Amino acid sequence: MPMTELPGKHVPIRLWADPATVEPNVIEQLYNITTVPQVAGVAVMPDVHLGIGATVGSVIAMRDAVCPAAVGVDIGCGMTAVQTSLRAKDLPDDLGDLRTRIEAAIPVGRAMHDGGAADLRGLPGFEPGALDLFWAGFDELATEVKARRTRATAQLGTLGSGNHFIEFCLDTEDRVWLMLHSGSRNIGKELADHHIGVARSLSHNEGLVDRDLAVFLAHTPEMDAYRSDLFWAQTYAKHNRAIMMGLFQNVVRTLFARAKPTFDQVISCHHNYVSEETYDGQDLLVTRKGAIRAGSGELGIIPGSMGTKSYIVKGLGNEAAFNSASHGAGRRMSRNQAKKAYTVADLERQTAGVECRKDVGVLDEIPGAYKSIEKVMQSQTDLVEIVAELRQLVCVKG
C-alpha cells in the first residue's frame, strides 16, 4: 500500500495504513502530535493504535527536543531472535516438556531470579564482570529509583507479562527459530513515569493540546537527565533480552543434545526507544513507539500474536518513514474489550496446535484482539522485505 499523507498543523502525517481503517480518535491523536512546535516529521506504521500521549505505531522526529511519552513506559522494549540448526524432524510430537523447561529457566510475570541475579555462567557474551560497567551507571539514575536496585538486578533476564513472550518457532523451510519479546521491566517503567511527570510540570509545555505530549528541550538539565536515564534503560532492555536468549539456548542445547544444536547470529531490535539520526541534513531525535528501525539492509523482527505468523525482515531504508517499519500486528481491541468479547474456548480454538497457556489469565492476548499481521505486512512492502516467515510451536507468556 502506498503512503497516504494527511494534513497536520506543523508537518503532515505520513500514514502506512488505509485511513478508512484507522479509528477517528487515533487520527485525532496523530494530529495532536503535529501541533507540538518542535516536531519535524511524523510517520505512522500500519499497526497503529491509540496510546497515551503519542500513538503506538508512530515515529516522531523532533528538533532539539524529545517527548518521553513518544517512547512509552516500557523503555527499550523490543525483540530478539536467532535461527538454529534444528529442523522439524528433530522435534518430538509433544513439546510440553520444552515449555516447562523454558518456564523453569526464565522467570515470567512477576517472578524474579532466585538469589537476586541471573546465573551468567556459560552464557555467550556474559563473562564474569561483563555487566559491572553497566551497573556502575545505576548510581547516576534519578533519585526516585535508587531504592529499586535489588529488584532491577533480580529482574534482569526475566520476561514480564502482558504481550511479552518467548517462542519456539518453525519457518517455511522447517528450520527452528528462537524468539522473544521483552523490555526494561519495572525499572524502565519507573524511570519513564518519573520523567513524563517532570516534563508535564515544565512551563514551556503549558500550551499543549495534550500535556502527555510534553517535551524536554535540548541543553537543559531536564533533557540531560532524561537522556542519561533513557539510554541506561535501553541498555538494560538489551541485556535483559540477551540473558533470556542465552538461557533459552541452554534449554534447547540440553533438551535436544542428541541433535547438537548450533545458533546463528542473534538478531535484536528495540521498538520503544530514542535514536539520534540525520535526515535532509538535520540532526534529529527520532522516537519510535511501537516501530522498529528498518534502514537499508538492517535485519528486524515483526511478530504477530499467539497463534499467528511472525516475520524476520530486512529494511529497505525508506527515509519518508524515517527508516522505520511496524513492530507487530498492533491491537484492535483493548484488553478489557478482549476479555468481554472472547472466551477460553475461543482462545483454545485460536491457538490450536501451539503449546501455550490457554486460560483466562492470557485471554486478553488472544489472536482475535490483534490486527491481521498479513494485512500489516502487505501495507509496508516499501518499508521492509520478508526474510523468513515463522509460526509458533511453543509460546510462553507471563
Side-chain angles (χ1 to χ4, degrees), residues 71 74-80 120 125-126 130-138 141 152-153 155-158 180 182-185 187-189 191 226-244 268-275:
V71 180
D74 193 356
I75 297 172
C77 186
M79 298 290 304
T80 297
L120 304 182
F126 286 99
L131 293 176
D132 289 350
L133 182 61
F134 166 72
W135 281 116
F138 188 92
L141 297 180
T153 302
Q155 286 190 326
L156 189 64
T158 67
L180 57 86
S182 194
S184 53
R185 303 296 278 114
I187 189 66
K189 179 184 183 303
L191 285 169
Y226 175 62
R227 288 181 61 166
S228 177
D229 288 359
L230 170 86
F231 292 139
W232 185 91
Q234 288 179 183
T235 302
Y236 182 104
K238 183 177 180 180
H239 287 324
N240 185 41
R241 292 194 297 273
I243 291 170
M244 282 192 288
S268 185
C269 58
H270 292 321
H271 53 226
N272 285 6
Y273 74 113
V274 176
S275 179

Coordinates of all heavy atoms in Angstrom, one line a residue, residues 71 74-80 120 125-126 130-138 141 152-153 155-158 180 182-185 187-189 191 226-244 268-275:
V71 N 8.1 7.7 23.6 CA 8.9 6.5 23.7 C 8.0 5.4 24.4 O 8.1 4.2 24.1 CB 10.2 6.7 24.6 CG1 11.0 5.5 24.7 CG2 11.0 7.8 23.9
D74 N 7.6 1.4 28.6 CA 8.5 0.3 28.6 C 9.7 0.6 27.7 O 9.8 0.2 26.5 CB 7.7 -1.0 28.0 CG 8.5 -2.3 28.3 OD1 9.7 -2.2 28.8 OD2 8.0 -3.4 27.9
I75 N 10.5 1.4 28.3 CA 11.7 1.9 27.5 C 12.5 0.7 27.0 O 12.8 -0.2 27.8 CB 12.6 2.8 28.4 CG1 11.8 4.0 28.8 CG2 13.9 3.2 27.7 CD1 12.5 4.9 29.9
G76 N 12.9 0.7 25.7 CA 13.8 -0.3 25.2 C 13.1 -1.6 24.9 O 13.7 -2.6 24.5
C77 N 11.7 -1.7 25.0 CA 11.0 -2.9 24.7 C 11.4 -3.3 23.2 O 11.5 -2.4 22.4 CB 9.5 -2.7 24.8 SG 8.6 -4.2 24.6
G78 N 11.5 -4.6 23.0 CA 11.9 -5.0 21.6 C 11.9 -6.5 21.5 O 11.4 -7.2 22.3
M79 N 12.6 -6.9 20.4 CA 12.6 -8.3 20.0 C 14.0 -8.8 19.9 O 14.9 -8.1 19.5 CB 11.9 -8.5 18.7 CG 10.4 -8.1 18.7 SD 9.4 -9.2 19.6 CE 9.7 -10.7 18.8
T80 N 14.1 -10.1 20.1 CA 15.4 -10.9 19.8 C 15.0 -12.2 19.2 O 14.1 -12.8 19.6 CB 16.2 -11.1 21.1 OG1 16.6 -9.8 21.6 CG2 17.5 -11.8 20.8
L120 N 25.0 -16.1 35.0 CA 25.5 -15.8 33.7 C 26.6 -16.8 33.2 O 27.1 -16.6 32.1 CB 26.1 -14.4 33.7 CG 25.1 -13.3 34.1 CD1 25.8 -11.9 34.0 CD2 23.9 -13.3 33.3
G125 N 28.8 -14.0 25.7 CA 28.9 -12.5 25.9 C 28.8 -12.1 27.3 O 28.9 -10.9 27.6
F126 N 28.6 -13.0 28.3 CA 28.4 -12.6 29.7 C 29.4 -13.3 30.6 O 29.1 -14.1 31.4 CB 27.0 -12.9 30.1 CG 26.0 -11.9 29.5 CD1 25.3 -12.3 28.4 CD2 25.8 -10.7 30.1 CE1 24.4 -11.4 27.9 CE2 24.9 -9.8 29.5 CZ 24.2 -10.1 28.4
A130 N 31.1 -8.9 33.2 CA 30.6 -8.3 31.9 C 29.6 -7.1 32.1 O 29.6 -6.2 31.3 CB 30.0 -9.3 31.0
L131 N 28.9 -7.2 33.2 CA 27.9 -6.2 33.5 C 28.3 -5.1 34.5 O 27.5 -4.3 34.8 CB 26.6 -6.9 34.0 CG 25.8 -7.8 32.9 CD1 24.6 -8.4 33.6 CD2 25.4 -6.9 31.7
D132 N 29.5 -5.2 35.0 CA 29.9 -4.3 36.1 C 29.9 -2.9 35.6 O 29.4 -2.0 36.4 CB 31.3 -4.7 36.5 CG 31.4 -6.0 37.3 OD1 30.3 -6.5 37.6 OD2 32.5 -6.5 37.5
L133 N 30.3 -2.6 34.4 CA 30.3 -1.2 34.0 C 28.9 -0.7 33.8 O 28.6 0.5 34.2 CB 31.1 -1.1 32.6 CG 31.2 0.3 32.0 CD1 32.0 1.2 33.0 CD2 31.9 0.3 30.7
F134 N 28.0 -1.5 33.3 CA 26.6 -1.2 33.2 C 26.0 -0.8 34.5 O 25.4 0.2 34.7 CB 25.8 -2.3 32.5 CG 24.3 -2.1 32.6 CD1 23.7 -1.1 31.9 CD2 23.6 -2.9 33.4 CE1 22.3 -1.0 32.0 CE2 22.2 -2.8 33.5 CZ 21.6 -1.8 32.8
W135 N 26.2 -1.7 35.5 CA 25.6 -1.5 36.8 C 26.2 -0.3 37.5 O 25.5 0.4 38.4 CB 25.7 -2.7 37.7 CG 24.7 -3.8 37.4 CD1 24.9 -5.0 36.9 CD2 23.3 -3.6 37.5 NE1 23.7 -5.7 36.7 CE2 22.7 -4.8 37.0 CE3 22.4 -2.6 37.9 CZ2 21.3 -5.0 37.0 CZ3 21.0 -2.8 37.9 CH2 20.5 -4.0 37.4
A136 N 27.4 0.1 37.2 CA 28.0 1.3 37.8 C 27.2 2.5 37.5 O 27.2 3.5 38.2 CB 29.5 1.5 37.3
G137 N 26.5 2.5 36.3 CA 25.7 3.6 35.9 C 24.4 3.8 36.7 O 23.7 4.8 36.7
F138 N 24.1 2.7 37.5 CA 22.8 2.8 38.3 C 22.9 4.0 39.3 O 21.8 4.6 39.5 CB 22.6 1.5 39.0 CG 21.2 1.4 39.7 CD1 20.1 0.9 39.0 CD2 21.0 1.9 41.0 CE1 18.9 0.8 39.6 CE2 19.8 1.8 41.6 CZ 18.7 1.3 40.9
L141 N 21.4 7.3 38.1 CA 19.9 7.4 37.8 C 19.2 8.3 38.7 O 19.7 8.7 39.7 CB 19.3 6.0 37.8 CG 19.8 4.9 36.8 CD1 19.0 3.6 37.0 CD2 19.8 5.4 35.4
A152 N 15.7 -4.5 40.4 CA 16.2 -4.4 39.0 C 17.2 -5.4 38.7 O 17.2 -6.0 37.6 CB 16.8 -3.0 38.7
T153 N 18.1 -5.8 39.6 CA 19.1 -6.8 39.5 C 18.4 -8.2 39.3 O 18.7 -9.0 38.4 CB 20.0 -6.8 40.6 OG1 20.7 -5.6 40.8 CG2 21.1 -7.9 40.5
Q155 N 15.4 -8.8 38.3 CA 14.5 -8.8 37.1 C 15.3 -8.8 35.8 O 14.7 -9.1 34.7 CB 13.5 -7.7 37.1 CG 12.4 -7.8 38.1 CD 11.3 -6.8 37.9 OE1 11.6 -5.7 37.5 NE2 10.1 -7.2 38.2
L156 N 16.6 -8.6 35.8 CA 17.4 -8.7 34.6 C 17.5 -10.1 34.1 O 18.0 -11.0 34.8 CB 18.8 -8.1 34.8 CG 19.6 -7.9 33.6 CD1 19.0 -6.8 32.7 CD2 21.1 -7.4 34.0
G157 N 17.0 -10.4 32.9 CA 16.9 -11.7 32.4 C 15.6 -12.4 32.7 O 15.5 -13.6 32.9
T158 N 14.5 -11.6 32.8 CA 13.1 -12.1 33.1 C 12.1 -11.5 32.1 O 12.4 -10.5 31.5 CB 12.7 -11.7 34.5 OG1 12.5 -10.3 34.6 CG2 13.7 -12.2 35.5
L180 N 12.0 -14.0 21.2 CA 11.4 -13.4 22.5 C 11.2 -11.9 22.4 O 11.8 -11.2 21.6 CB 12.2 -13.8 23.7 CG 13.7 -13.4 23.8 CD1 13.9 -12.0 24.3 CD2 14.5 -14.4 24.6
S182 N 10.6 -8.6 25.1 CA 10.6 -8.0 26.4 C 11.3 -6.7 26.4 O 11.9 -6.3 25.4 CB 11.2 -9.0 27.4 OG 10.8 -8.6 28.8
G183 N 11.2 -6.0 27.6 CA 11.8 -4.7 27.6 C 12.6 -4.4 28.9 O 13.4 -5.3 29.4
S184 N 12.5 -3.2 29.5 CA 13.3 -2.8 30.6 C 12.6 -3.1 32.0 O 13.1 -2.5 33.0 CB 13.7 -1.4 30.5 OG 12.5 -0.5 30.3
R185 N 11.6 -3.9 32.0 CA 10.9 -4.3 33.2 C 10.5 -3.2 34.1 O 10.3 -2.1 33.6 CB 11.9 -5.3 34.0 CG 12.3 -6.5 33.1 CD 11.1 -7.4 32.8 NE 10.8 -8.3 33.9 CZ 9.6 -8.2 34.6 NH1 8.7 -7.3 34.3 NH2 9.4 -9.1 35.5
I187 N 12.1 -1.3 36.3 CA 12.9 -0.1 36.4 C 12.8 0.9 35.3 O 12.8 2.1 35.4 CB 14.4 -0.6 36.6 CG1 15.3 0.6 36.9 CG2 14.9 -1.2 35.3 CD1 15.0 1.2 38.3
G188 N 12.5 0.3 34.1 CA 12.3 1.2 32.9 C 11.0 1.9 33.0 O 10.9 3.1 32.7
K189 N 10.0 1.3 33.5 CA 8.7 1.9 33.7 C 8.7 3.0 34.7 O 8.2 4.1 34.5 CB 7.6 0.9 34.1 CG 6.2 1.5 34.4 CD 5.2 0.5 34.9 CE 3.8 1.1 35.0 NZ 3.8 2.3 35.9
L191 N 11.4 4.8 35.6 CA 12.1 5.9 35.1 C 11.2 6.7 34.1 O 11.2 7.9 34.1 CB 13.4 5.4 34.4 CG 14.5 4.9 35.3 CD1 15.6 4.2 34.5 CD2 15.1 6.1 36.0
Y226 N 17.0 13.1 31.5 CA 16.2 12.1 30.8 C 17.0 11.2 29.8 O 16.9 10.0 29.8 CB 15.1 12.8 30.0 CG 14.2 11.8 29.2 CD1 13.5 10.8 29.9 CD2 14.2 11.9 27.8 CE1 12.8 9.9 29.1 CE2 13.4 11.0 27.1 CZ 12.7 10.0 27.7 OH 12.0 9.1 27.0
R227 N 17.8 11.9 29.0 CA 18.6 11.1 28.1 C 19.6 10.1 28.8 O 19.7 9.0 28.3 CB 19.4 12.1 27.1 CG 18.5 12.8 26.2 CD 19.3 13.7 25.2 NE 20.2 13.0 24.4 CZ 20.8 13.5 23.4 NH1 20.5 14.7 23.0 NH2 21.7 12.8 22.7
S228 N 20.2 10.6 29.9 CA 21.0 9.7 30.6 C 20.3 8.4 31.1 O 20.7 7.3 30.9 CB 21.7 10.4 31.8 OG 22.5 9.5 32.5
D229 N 19.1 8.7 31.7 CA 18.3 7.6 32.3 C 17.7 6.7 31.1 O 17.7 5.5 31.2 CB 17.2 8.1 33.1 CG 17.7 8.6 34.5 OD1 18.9 8.6 34.7 OD2 16.9 9.1 35.3
L230 N 17.3 7.4 30.1 CA 16.7 6.7 28.9 C 17.7 5.7 28.3 O 17.4 4.5 28.1 CB 16.3 7.7 27.9 CG 15.9 7.1 26.5 CD1 14.4 6.7 26.5 CD2 16.2 8.1 25.4
F231 N 18.9 6.2 28.0 CA 19.9 5.3 27.4 C 20.4 4.2 28.3 O 20.6 3.0 27.9 CB 21.1 6.1 26.9 CG 20.8 7.0 25.7 CD1 21.3 8.3 25.7 CD2 19.9 6.6 24.7 CE1 21.0 9.2 24.6 CE2 19.6 7.5 23.7 CZ 20.1 8.8 23.6
W232 N 20.4 4.4 29.6 CA 20.7 3.3 30.6 C 19.6 2.3 30.5 O 19.8 1.1 30.5 CB 20.8 3.9 32.0 CG 21.2 2.8 33.0 CD1 22.5 2.5 33.4 CD2 20.4 2.0 33.7 NE1 22.5 1.5 34.3 CE2 21.2 1.1 34.5 CE3 19.0 1.8 33.8 CZ2 20.7 0.2 35.4 CZ3 18.5 0.8 34.6 CH2 19.3 0.0 35.4
A233 N 18.3 2.7 30.5 CA 17.2 1.8 30.4 C 17.2 1.0 29.1 O 16.8 -0.2 29.1 CB 15.9 2.5 30.7
Q234 N 17.5 1.7 28.0 CA 17.6 1.0 26.7 C 18.6 -0.1 26.8 O 18.4 -1.2 26.2 CB 17.8 2.0 25.6 CG 16.6 2.8 25.3 CD 16.8 3.9 24.2 OE1 16.0 4.7 23.9 NE2 18.0 3.9 23.6
T235 N 19.7 0.1 27.4 CA 20.8 -0.9 27.6 C 20.3 -2.0 28.5 O 20.6 -3.2 28.2 CB 22.1 -0.2 28.1 OG1 22.5 0.8 27.2 CG2 23.2 -1.3 28.2
Y236 N 19.6 -1.7 29.5 CA 19.0 -2.7 30.4 C 18.2 -3.6 29.6 O 18.3 -4.9 29.7 CB 18.2 -2.0 31.5 CG 17.6 -3.0 32.5 CD1 18.2 -3.1 33.8 CD2 16.5 -3.7 32.2 CE1 17.6 -4.0 34.7 CE2 15.9 -4.6 33.2 CZ 16.5 -4.7 34.4 OH 15.9 -5.6 35.3
A237 N 17.3 -3.1 28.8 CA 16.4 -3.9 27.9 C 17.2 -4.8 27.0 O 16.8 -6.0 26.8 CB 15.5 -3.0 27.1
K238 N 18.2 -4.3 26.4 CA 19.1 -5.1 25.5 C 19.7 -6.2 26.3 O 19.7 -7.4 25.8 CB 20.1 -4.2 24.9 CG 21.0 -4.9 23.8 CD 22.0 -4.0 23.2 CE 22.9 -4.7 22.2 NZ 23.8 -3.8 21.5
H239 N 20.3 -6.0 27.5 CA 20.9 -7.0 28.3 C 19.8 -8.0 28.7 O 20.1 -9.2 28.8 CB 21.6 -6.4 29.5 CG 22.9 -5.7 29.2 ND1 23.8 -6.1 28.2 CD2 23.4 -4.6 29.8 CE1 24.8 -5.3 28.2 NE2 24.6 -4.4 29.1
N240 N 18.7 -7.5 29.1 CA 17.6 -8.4 29.5 C 17.3 -9.4 28.5 O 17.2 -10.6 28.8 CB 16.3 -7.5 29.9 CG 15.2 -8.3 30.5 OD1 15.4 -9.2 31.3 ND2 14.0 -8.0 30.0
R241 N 17.1 -9.0 27.3 CA 16.8 -10.0 26.2 C 18.0 -10.9 25.9 O 17.8 -12.1 25.6 CB 16.4 -9.2 24.9 CG 15.0 -8.5 25.0 CD 14.5 -8.1 23.7 NE 15.3 -7.1 23.0 CZ 15.3 -5.8 23.2 NH1 14.4 -5.3 24.0 NH2 16.1 -5.0 22.5
A242 N 19.2 -10.3 26.0 CA 20.4 -11.2 25.7 C 20.5 -12.3 26.7 O 20.8 -13.4 26.4 CB 21.6 -10.3 25.7
I243 N 20.3 -12.0 28.0 CA 20.4 -13.0 29.0 C 19.3 -14.1 28.8 O 19.6 -15.3 28.9 CB 20.3 -12.4 30.4 CG1 21.5 -11.5 30.7 CG2 20.1 -13.4 31.5 CD1 21.4 -10.7 31.9
M244 N 18.1 -13.6 28.6 CA 17.0 -14.6 28.3 C 17.3 -15.5 27.1 O 17.0 -16.7 27.2 CB 15.7 -13.9 28.1 CG 15.0 -13.4 29.4 SD 13.3 -12.9 29.2 CE 13.5 -11.3 28.3
S268 N 18.5 -8.5 17.0 CA 17.9 -7.8 18.1 C 17.5 -6.4 17.7 O 18.2 -5.8 17.0 CB 18.8 -7.8 19.3 OG 18.2 -7.2 20.5
C269 N 16.3 -6.0 18.1 CA 15.9 -4.6 17.8 C 15.0 -4.1 18.9 O 14.1 -4.8 19.4 CB 15.2 -4.6 16.4 SG 13.8 -5.7 16.2
H270 N 15.2 -2.8 19.2 CA 14.2 -2.1 20.1 C 13.0 -1.7 19.2 O 13.1 -1.5 18.0 CB 14.8 -0.8 20.6 CG 15.9 -1.0 21.6 ND1 16.0 -2.0 22.6 CD2 17.1 -0.3 21.8 CE1 17.1 -1.9 23.3 NE2 17.7 -0.8 22.8
H271 N 11.8 -1.5 19.9 CA 10.7 -0.9 19.2 C 10.0 0.2 20.1 O 9.0 0.7 19.7 CB 9.7 -1.9 18.6 CG 9.2 -2.9 19.5 ND1 9.1 -4.2 19.2 CD2 8.6 -2.8 20.8 CE1 8.5 -4.9 20.2 NE2 8.3 -4.1 21.1
N272 N 10.6 0.5 21.2 CA 10.2 1.7 22.0 C 11.5 2.4 22.4 O 12.1 2.1 23.5 CB 9.5 1.3 23.3 CG 8.0 0.8 23.1 OD1 7.6 0.7 21.9 ND2 7.3 0.5 24.1
Y273 N 11.9 3.4 21.7 CA 13.2 4.0 22.0 C 13.5 5.3 21.3 O 12.7 5.7 20.5 CB 14.3 3.0 21.7 CG 14.6 2.8 20.2 CD1 15.9 3.2 19.7 CD2 13.7 2.2 19.3 CE1 16.2 3.0 18.3 CE2 14.1 2.1 18.0 CZ 15.3 2.5 17.5 OH 15.6 2.3 16.2
V274 N 14.6 5.9 21.6 CA 15.0 7.1 21.0 C 16.4 6.9 20.3 O 17.2 6.2 20.8 CB 15.2 8.3 22.1 CG1 15.8 9.5 21.4 CG2 13.9 8.6 22.7
S275 N 16.5 7.5 19.1 CA 17.7 7.4 18.4 C 18.1 8.7 17.8 O 17.2 9.5 17.4 CB 17.5 6.4 17.2 OG 18.7 6.2 16.4

